[in-house]
Amino acid sequence: MLTFEQKLAIMESFPELTRSDVSLGRVNFSYEQSAYDKKNVAYHLHPNGNGFIYAGRLRGYSTDNKGFVNIRDYEADALRALVAESILSLTDTSTQKTPPRTESTQKERWEGPDNQSLVVTFEDELWYVYAGANLESAFETYEEAAQYCLEEGFAKAT
């Protein structure tokens, strides 16, 4: 089981989330750019190890009646993946289009934990994700490449 501090560190590694300290030492994290009324991604993370992540728009998770998954016994990688999926589920992808394939948008930098970065490029009708000179993965759509980056804890560099 992760400690409270470890869970906080994972949550804080997602720059798109906003932290709110609430009563009894608990902490919430919200996604202010949510396309839906639901903005809380993490709800009542508690120093005793308990806490909840919103998965109401996801498949494959056992949720309570409000759409939250209890993360008390989650490991780090599973927690990161769930948080990334939660954020993506609250993002309005219907209005997001694949960026135009021009010279200026063929390369996009994503920043992650420990000052790591990924580069997403469009070449030969595929989207490639590079970590330095190493190819991490290739995708048919920009949305798949972006989802991969989010799941790995990266955010688009501004």
Side-chain angles (χ1 to χ4, degrees), residues 10 16 20 28-29 37 56 58 62 66 69 71 74 76 104 109 112-113 118 120 135-136 141 147 151:
I10 290 170
E16 58 269 65
S20 300
N28 292 346
F29 284 87
D37 288 338
L58 302 174
S62 178
K66 293 181 181 178
V69 173
I71 58 161
Y74 266 57
S104 63
R109 198 164 79 77
L118 296 176
V120 176
L135 176 64
E136 287 290 313
T141 67
Q147 180 175 356
E151 288 173 358

Side-chain angles (χ1 to χ4, degrees), residues 15-18 30-36 39 90-92:
E16 58 269 65
L17 297 179
T18 304
S30 59
Y31 178 50
E32 298 303 322
Q33 294 81 26
S34 176
Y36 305 94
K39 292 190 185 305
L90 294 172
T91 303
D92 184 6

Side-chain angles (χ1 to χ4, degrees), residues 10-31:
I10 290 170
M11 297 307 299
E12 289 171 346
S13 74
F14 289 90
E16 58 269 65
L17 297 179
T18 304
R19 177 182 171 152
S20 300
D21 294 339
V22 292
S23 62
L24 304 173
R26 296 175 296 190
V27 179
N28 292 346
F29 284 87
S30 59
Y31 178 50

Side-chain angles (χ1 to χ4, degrees), residues 4-122:
F4 177 63
E5 290 76 20
Q6 289 169 319
K7 288 177 184 171
L8 286 178
I10 290 170
M11 297 307 299
E12 289 171 346
S13 74
F14 289 90
E16 58 269 65
L17 297 179
T18 304
R19 177 182 171 152
S20 300
D21 294 339
V22 292
S23 62
L24 304 173
R26 296 175 296 190
V27 179
N28 292 346
F29 284 87
S30 59
Y31 178 50
E32 298 303 322
Q33 294 81 26
S34 176
Y36 305 94
D37 288 338
K38 176 61 71 184
K39 292 190 185 305
N40 274 343
V41 170
Y43 179 72
H44 284 180
L45 296 182
H46 194 279
N48 71 6
N50 215 12
F52 303 90
I53 301 294
Y54 181 71
R57 302 182 58 78
L58 302 174
R59 293 181 187 199
Y61 292 97
S62 178
T63 62
D64 65 14
N65 61 351
K66 293 181 181 178
F68 286 93
V69 173
N70 188 309
I71 58 161
R72 182 178 192 79
D73 297 322
Y74 266 57
E75 296 296 326
D77 290 340
L79 179 57
R80 272 189 206 91
L82 176 58
V83 171
E85 288 180 68
S86 179
I87 293 168
L88 193 59
S89 78
L90 294 172
T91 303
D92 184 6
T93 57
S94 68
T95 60
Q96 293 178 348
K97 296 192 173 18
T98 301
R101 295 173 183 146
T102 65
E103 191 64 37
S104 63
T105 59
Q106 284 187 324
K107 282 191 178 181
E108 187 174 84
R109 198 164 79 77
W110 290 66
E111 297 172 344
D114 302 323
N115 293 325
Q116 296 175 334
S117 66
L118 296 176
V119 175
V120 176
T121 64
F122 182 76

